[in-house]
């Protein structure tokens, strides 16, 4: 007699799926995760800055209207590679080990897109990947990525089949790849998770041809601390990310050598322009000529030139965001037209914040507000009430556990973040964090920002810059000094809050098991 054993169906499936199936078999949500590169919250109109009123982002704002906006959203290390590794793993930089750009991500570690794939999701990734590894090992059903930072015009695209040059503008291409997969590429019997990673508005800030003129002639409000003298802040005084001193006049600001000429001034990486076709180049030059000629004619003082550069920077930076916003709109439209929106989580965020002239800067890296913060908007009909504003502090370590939670998939104990689902249901857990840990490593490196760690509390921020002969502490009262101009580390009146924040910093380093950087005595 032959005895035939049949495993119960649940046991034959991967473990994570069992958890998911047990929770909500029919209603597992789809996930559309849209992340741009260096998109400052100041440049999203849902955040309400005066600047963004002149350059609104109506489609990104739709997500906040349909769902929630987080007003205290932070990263743990304001730099592309580390932030992306955190997004994937739910761990701080020191824990996943990717602390600086240029390192290689270990594809073998746990990442949420693979976990969702194993739990029965269709998964895909399109755009900037930038962790020096092919996404091959992640297990996406489909992917198309830019090479490293990628180019705005006619970029190289790497796919499972190899590398080729794509004709078109990066943001539009990434949107198109995403829509193609959503419409016809995916296995429609499964829920899906798609990562849409735009290159824009990253340096060198090149708008689509249809947007090159969009903000010409618009005068954007100049931050009050544009001419910061960095007094009392050693690391702020030695950075190389000042708009009027460190931006390349050709590569970044697209200034020309002389009236009537289209030849760029200092253009450190000509590749960005060389990729354009002759027709694209001609259209670009024609769009820029009048403003460049006017500048070459004018004999501006140093101060006026610095202010002019700010306007040019904003016109270009915000110009690149116009295509991102259109792309977000196209994805939202498709979800709504297909009815998928009803069971789809849509997130819009950036890999970190960015300086739009605050302290005179572009780029990020510092723990100071504009780069440590990052936009975070999310919709999920039926689960998040439209128009929700969440003020509880979140960090990019929280994204992975949130997606797992909504999908009903169990994650590993290595995750250091926490699911945001209670916050999105309108309830702040009593033990939700009130302060956020930060650690930046990349020095020496681009823009010469010194390594530092610190803690940002509800009111105070304590920072320690270290390494290469430096050990300098800073302390800010965000209530009286929201722009972080007045380092009060030596102020006797601040002795008690400084001591309290130092204790918190020690605790946080212990909690996260961060032994990198100098120990605090
Ligand atoms: C490039 C940029 C830098 C930028 C880094 C990191 N220079 O090197 O300005 O800080 O990327 O950015 S560029 O002119 O070559 O674009 S990140 O977003 O990838 O971390
Ligand atoms: Ca970035």
């Amino acid at each position: 007699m032959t005895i035939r054993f049949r495993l119960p169906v649940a046991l034959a499936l991967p473990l994570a799926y069992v958890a998911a199936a047990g929770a909500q078999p029919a209603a597992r949500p789809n996930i559309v995760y849209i992340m741009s590169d260096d998109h400052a919250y100041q440049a999203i109109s849902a955040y309400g800055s005066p600047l963004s009123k002149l350059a609104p982002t109506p489609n990104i704002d739709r997500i906040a209207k349909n769902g929630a906006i987080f007003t205290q959203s932070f990263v743990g290390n304001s730099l592309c590679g580390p932030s992306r590794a955190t997004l994937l793993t739910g761990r701080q930089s020191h824990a996943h080990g990717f602390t600086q750009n240029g390192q290689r991500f270990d594809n073998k570690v746990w990442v949420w897109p693979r976990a969702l794939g194993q739990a029965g999701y269709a998964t895909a990734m399109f755009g900037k990947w930038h962790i020096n590894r092919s996404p091959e090992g992640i297990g996406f059903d489909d992917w198309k990525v830019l090479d490293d930072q990628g180019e705005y015009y006619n970029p190289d695209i790497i796919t499972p089949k190899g590398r080729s040059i794509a004709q078109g503008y990066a943001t539009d291409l990434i949107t198109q790849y995403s829509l193609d997969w959503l419409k016809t590429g995916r296995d429609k019997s499964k829920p899906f998770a798609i990562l849409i990673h735009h290159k824009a508005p990253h340096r060198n800030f090149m708008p689509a041809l249809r947007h090159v003129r969009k903000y010409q002639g618009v005068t954007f409000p100049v931050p009050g601390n544009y001419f910061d003298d960095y007094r009392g802040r050693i690391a702020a005084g030695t950075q190389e990310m000042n708009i009027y001193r460190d931006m390349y006049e050709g590569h970044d600001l697209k200034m020309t050598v002389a009236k009537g000429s289209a030849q760029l001034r200092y253009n450190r990486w000509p590749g960005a322009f060389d990729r354009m076709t002759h027709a694209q180049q001609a259209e670009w030059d024609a769009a820029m000529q009048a403003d460049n000629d006017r500048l070459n004619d004018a004999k501006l003082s140093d101060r006026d030139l610095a202010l002019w550069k700010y306007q040019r920077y904003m016109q270009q930076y915000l110009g690149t965001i116009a295509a991102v916003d259109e792309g977000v709109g196209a994805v939202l439209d498709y979800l709504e037209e297909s009815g998928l929106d009803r069971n789809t989580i849509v997130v819009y965020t950036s890999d970190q914040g960015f300086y739009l002239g605050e302290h005179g800067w572009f780029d990020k890296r510092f723990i100071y507000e504009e780069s440590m913060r990052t936009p975070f908007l999310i919709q999920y009909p039926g689960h998040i009430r439209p128009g929700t504003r969440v003020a509880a502090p979140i960090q990019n370590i929280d994204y992975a556990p949130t997606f797992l939670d909504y999908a009903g998939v169990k994650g590993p104990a290595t995750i250091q973040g926490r699911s945001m689902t209670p916050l999105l249901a309108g309830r702040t857990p009593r033990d939700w964090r009130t302060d956020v840990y930060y650690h930046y490593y990349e020095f020496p490196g681009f823009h010469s920002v010194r390594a530092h760690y610190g803690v940002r509390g509800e009111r105070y921020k304590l920072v320690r810059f270290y390494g290469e002969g430096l050990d300098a502490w800073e302390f800010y009262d965000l209530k009286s000094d929201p722009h972080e101009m007045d380092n009060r580390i030596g102020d006797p009146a601040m002795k008690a809050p400084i001591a309290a924040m130092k204790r918190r910093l020690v605790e946080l380093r212990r909690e996260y098991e961060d032994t990198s950087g100098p120990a605090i005595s």
Side-chain angles (χ1 to χ4, degrees), residues 307-322:
L307 292 168
W308 184 93
K309 286 182 176 179
Y310 172 75
Q311 298 300 339
R312 171 58 66 86
Y313 166 39
M314 281 303 91
Q315 289 162 7
Q316 300 272 300
Y317 177 92
L318 297 165
T320 70
I321 291 168

Tab-separated table of all heavy atoms in Angstrom, residues 307-322:
chain	number	residue	atom	x	y	z
A	307	LEU	N	23.430	86.932	-6.041
A	307	LEU	CA	21.959	86.865	-6.049
A	307	LEU	C	21.445	86.365	-7.397
A	307	LEU	O	20.482	85.600	-7.466
A	307	LEU	CB	21.371	88.244	-5.719
A	307	LEU	CG	21.633	88.695	-4.279
A	307	LEU	CD1	21.289	90.183	-4.090
A	307	LEU	CD2	20.834	87.840	-3.292
A	308	TRP	N	22.098	86.786	-8.456
A	308	TRP	CA	21.717	86.304	-9.797
A	308	TRP	C	21.886	84.785	-9.862
A	308	TRP	O	21.034	84.070	-10.395
A	308	TRP	CB	22.593	87.001	-10.852
A	308	TRP	CG	22.213	86.634	-12.255
A	308	TRP	CD1	21.346	87.288	-13.076
A	308	TRP	CD2	22.680	85.486	-12.998
A	308	TRP	NE1	21.239	86.633	-14.280
A	308	TRP	CE2	22.047	85.517	-14.257
A	308	TRP	CE3	23.565	84.437	-12.722
A	308	TRP	CZ2	22.271	84.553	-15.240
A	308	TRP	CZ3	23.775	83.459	-13.696
A	308	TRP	CH2	23.139	83.525	-14.942
A	309	LYS	N	22.987	84.302	-9.309
A	309	LYS	CA	23.252	82.855	-9.353
A	309	LYS	C	22.181	82.076	-8.592
A	309	LYS	O	21.785	80.978	-9.000
A	309	LYS	CB	24.642	82.541	-8.776
A	309	LYS	CG	25.773	82.928	-9.716
A	309	LYS	CD	27.127	82.553	-9.132
A	309	LYS	CE	28.242	82.851	-10.138
A	309	LYS	NZ	29.575	82.509	-9.591
A	310	TYR	N	21.721	82.657	-7.500
A	310	TYR	CA	20.639	81.986	-6.761
A	310	TYR	C	19.408	81.828	-7.654
A	310	TYR	O	18.792	80.758	-7.725
A	310	TYR	CB	20.278	82.781	-5.491
A	310	TYR	CG	19.046	82.232	-4.821
A	310	TYR	CD1	19.105	81.046	-4.106
A	310	TYR	CD2	17.809	82.859	-4.969
A	310	TYR	CE1	17.963	80.496	-3.539
A	310	TYR	CE2	16.665	82.320	-4.401
A	310	TYR	CZ	16.749	81.143	-3.685
A	310	TYR	OH	15.626	80.591	-3.143
A	311	GLN	N	19.045	82.905	-8.349
A	311	GLN	CA	17.861	82.852	-9.230
A	311	GLN	C	18.053	81.831	-10.352
A	311	GLN	O	17.153	81.060	-10.662
A	311	GLN	CB	17.553	84.246	-9.818
A	311	GLN	CG	17.216	85.302	-8.780
A	311	GLN	CD	15.987	84.948	-7.932
A	311	GLN	OE1	15.151	84.141	-8.315
A	311	GLN	NE2	15.885	85.561	-6.752
A	312	ARG	N	19.242	81.813	-10.941
A	312	ARG	CA	19.496	80.850	-12.022
A	312	ARG	C	19.405	79.417	-11.481
A	312	ARG	O	18.812	78.534	-12.107
A	312	ARG	CB	20.860	81.154	-12.657
A	312	ARG	CG	21.385	80.131	-13.638
A	312	ARG	CD	20.478	79.856	-14.844
A	312	ARG	NE	20.251	80.913	-15.796
A	312	ARG	CZ	21.025	81.225	-16.845
A	312	ARG	NH1	22.154	80.559	-17.035
A	312	ARG	NH2	20.693	82.181	-17.688
A	313	TYR	N	19.994	79.210	-10.309
A	313	TYR	CA	19.929	77.882	-9.669
A	313	TYR	C	18.467	77.469	-9.467
A	313	TYR	O	18.057	76.362	-9.846
A	313	TYR	CB	20.710	77.932	-8.348
A	313	TYR	CG	20.501	76.786	-7.378
A	313	TYR	CD1	20.362	75.472	-7.798
A	313	TYR	CD2	20.490	77.031	-5.995
A	313	TYR	CE1	20.193	74.434	-6.881
A	313	TYR	CE2	20.322	75.995	-5.081
A	313	TYR	CZ	20.167	74.708	-5.527
A	313	TYR	OH	20.000	73.684	-4.627
A	314	MET	N	17.672	78.342	-8.905
A	314	MET	CA	16.270	78.006	-8.638
A	314	MET	C	15.504	77.750	-9.935
A	314	MET	O	14.684	76.826	-10.020
A	314	MET	CB	15.589	79.124	-7.842
A	314	MET	CG	15.902	79.127	-6.370
A	314	MET	SD	15.486	77.567	-5.557
A	314	MET	CE	17.000	76.676	-5.707
A	315	GLN	N	15.742	78.588	-10.950
A	315	GLN	CA	15.020	78.404	-12.212
A	315	GLN	C	15.292	77.022	-12.799
A	315	GLN	O	14.393	76.355	-13.305
A	315	GLN	CB	15.428	79.497	-13.203
A	315	GLN	CG	14.891	80.874	-12.823
A	315	GLN	CD	15.615	82.005	-13.528
A	315	GLN	OE1	16.440	81.779	-14.411
A	315	GLN	NE2	15.309	83.240	-13.142
A	316	GLN	N	16.554	76.594	-12.707
A	316	GLN	CA	16.927	75.302	-13.278
A	316	GLN	C	16.428	74.145	-12.396
A	316	GLN	O	15.845	73.179	-12.888
A	316	GLN	CB	18.458	75.220	-13.388
A	316	GLN	CG	19.057	76.285	-14.260
A	316	GLN	CD	19.118	75.858	-15.707
A	316	GLN	OE1	19.751	74.869	-16.031
A	316	GLN	NE2	18.452	76.571	-16.570
A	317	TYR	N	16.688	74.265	-11.122
A	317	TYR	CA	16.315	73.187	-10.181
A	317	TYR	C	14.801	72.948	-10.225
A	317	TYR	O	14.332	71.813	-10.384
A	317	TYR	CB	16.783	73.596	-8.775
A	317	TYR	CG	16.413	72.644	-7.655
A	317	TYR	CD1	17.281	71.626	-7.277
A	317	TYR	CD2	15.216	72.787	-6.965
A	317	TYR	CE1	16.954	70.763	-6.234
A	317	TYR	CE2	14.883	71.924	-5.930
A	317	TYR	CZ	15.757	70.915	-5.566
A	317	TYR	OH	15.420	70.065	-4.545
A	318	LEU	N	14.049	74.033	-10.104
A	318	LEU	CA	12.591	73.897	-10.111
A	318	LEU	C	12.087	73.476	-11.490
A	318	LEU	O	11.075	72.786	-11.604
A	318	LEU	CB	11.943	75.203	-9.654
A	318	LEU	CG	12.295	75.587	-8.199
A	318	LEU	CD1	11.940	77.045	-7.915
A	318	LEU	CD2	11.601	74.670	-7.206
A	319	GLY	N	12.821	73.878	-12.515
A	319	GLY	CA	12.470	73.456	-13.880
A	319	GLY	C	12.533	71.939	-14.024
A	319	GLY	O	11.692	71.338	-14.695
A	320	THR	N	13.509	71.306	-13.381
A	320	THR	CA	13.593	69.831	-13.494
A	320	THR	C	12.436	69.161	-12.755
A	320	THR	O	11.994	68.084	-13.134
A	320	THR	CB	14.918	69.252	-12.927
A	320	THR	OG1	14.918	69.385	-11.509
A	320	THR	CG2	16.140	69.931	-13.505
A	321	ILE	N	11.947	69.832	-11.718
A	321	ILE	CA	10.871	69.232	-10.913
A	321	ILE	C	9.542	69.230	-11.680
A	321	ILE	O	8.687	68.375	-11.451
A	321	ILE	CB	10.768	69.958	-9.558
A	321	ILE	CG1	12.011	69.621	-8.723
A	321	ILE	CG2	9.494	69.580	-8.803
A	321	ILE	CD1	12.198	70.464	-7.499
A	322	ALA	N	9.426	70.141	-12.619
A	322	ALA	CA	8.168	70.192	-13.391
A	322	ALA	C	7.897	68.842	-14.069
A	322	ALA	O	6.761	68.354	-14.070
A	322	ALA	CB	8.242	71.322	-14.420
